[in-house]
């Protein structure tokens, strides 16, 4: 596997020390302490950035200049005080992901791998809100081609997951364990060739 350089932009020593613990076989950390380093990183045709949302001097997250700053980059914005509103603004302006700044290292590795593959990483609560919004705005799903290779139980799990319901609630509704829910979702993702719940929701609603 190729190791990717990743610019970690923060002035917080504790964050820098935490972030450096990501998989050294996949990531080559470099530290930046301001937006100038981010711009130089882009000029060097490098892509991956971890950005501290609390970095002094950042533009407001609703500022149009972020689209220019993020152009050509895959930026994971990390906040010590995450909120759905901030997440929505960062992603709308071109960030590739948003998470808690002290997300466990194992999870950071998963998030970064997802971004490498071209996915956008959302926090759980924002993803649930987005899926609920998708479900309320799109037509009621019908038995379309997406169901034909799925077992009846996989179809049930897929429909519930597509509405933003978490694994625990799915397990309670269907009377199965969370582990079984995860297994069914893994099978559903593989069979439908989707990589996340948003893509699943669009597939279930016939938009894919």
């Amino acid at each position: 596997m190729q190791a990717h350089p990743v610019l970690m932009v923060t002035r917080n020593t504790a964050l820098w020390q935490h972030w450096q613990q990501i998989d050294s076989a996949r990531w080559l950390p470099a530290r930046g302490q301001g937006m100038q380093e981010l711009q130089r990183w882009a000029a060097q045709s490098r892509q991956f950035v971890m950005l501290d949302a609390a970095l002094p001097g950042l533009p407001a997250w609703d500022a149009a200049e972020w689209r220019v700053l993020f152009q050509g980059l895959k930026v994971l914005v990390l906040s010590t005080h995450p909120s759905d509103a901030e997440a929505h603004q960062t992603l709308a302006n071109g960030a590739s992901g948003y998470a808690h700044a002290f997300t466990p290292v194992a999870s950071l590795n998963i998030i970064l791998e997802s971004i490498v593959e071209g996915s956008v990483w959302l926090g759980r609560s924002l993803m649930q809100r987005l899926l609920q919004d998708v479900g309320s705005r799109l037509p009621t799903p019908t038995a379309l081609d997406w169901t034909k290779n799925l077992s009846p139980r996989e179809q049930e799990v897929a429909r519930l997951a597509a509405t933003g319901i978490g694994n625990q609630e799915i397990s309670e509704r269907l009377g199965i364990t969370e582990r079984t829910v995860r297994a069914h979702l893994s099978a559903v993702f593989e069979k439908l060739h989707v990589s996340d719940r948003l893509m699943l929701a669009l597939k279930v609603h016939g938009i894919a």
Side-chain angles (χ1 to χ4, degrees), residues 8 14-24 29 105-106 108-109:
M8 300 176 173
L15 279 183
W16 165 241
Q17 292 173 345
H18 177 66
W19 294 352
Q20 283 185 93
Q21 298 176 65
I22 59 175
D23 185 0
S24 59
V105 172
L108 281 178
N109 288 324

Side-chain angles (χ1 to χ4, degrees), residues 116-196:
V116 168
E117 294 170 2
S119 298
V120 173
W121 185 271
L122 309 180
R124 177 177 295 179
S125 63
L126 182 61
M127 174 63 85
Q128 288 179 337
R129 283 179 54 192
L130 182 59
L131 292 177
Q132 288 164 1
D133 188 54
V134 167
S136 67
R137 293 173 183 271
L138 296 179
T140 301
T142 55
L144 302 173
D145 289 344
W146 70 269
T147 65
K148 65 182 180 181
N149 293 323
L150 304 185
S151 70
R153 180 65 89 188
E154 288 169 350
Q155 292 176 36
E156 287 180 306
V157 171
R159 286 194 174 94
L160 291 172
T163 65
I165 296 174
N167 289 356
Q168 181 177 350
E169 187 174 347
I170 293 174
S171 73
E172 292 170 355
R173 288 197 185 193
L174 299 182
I176 56 180
T177 66
E178 284 191 65
R179 182 177 180 179
T180 302
V181 172
R182 290 193 295 270
H184 283 317
L185 279 175
S186 179
V188 167
F189 283 10
E190 183 176 352
K191 290 179 180 180
L192 297 183
H193 305 291
V194 299
S195 59
D196 55 48

Side-chain angles (χ1 to χ4, degrees), residues 10 12 15 51-58 61 77-81 86:
T10 183
N12 185 319
L15 279 183
L51 176 62
D52 181 1
L55 189 74
L58 291 183
W61 286 113
V77 177
L78 295 150
S79 174
T80 53
H81 297 90
E86 185 177 72

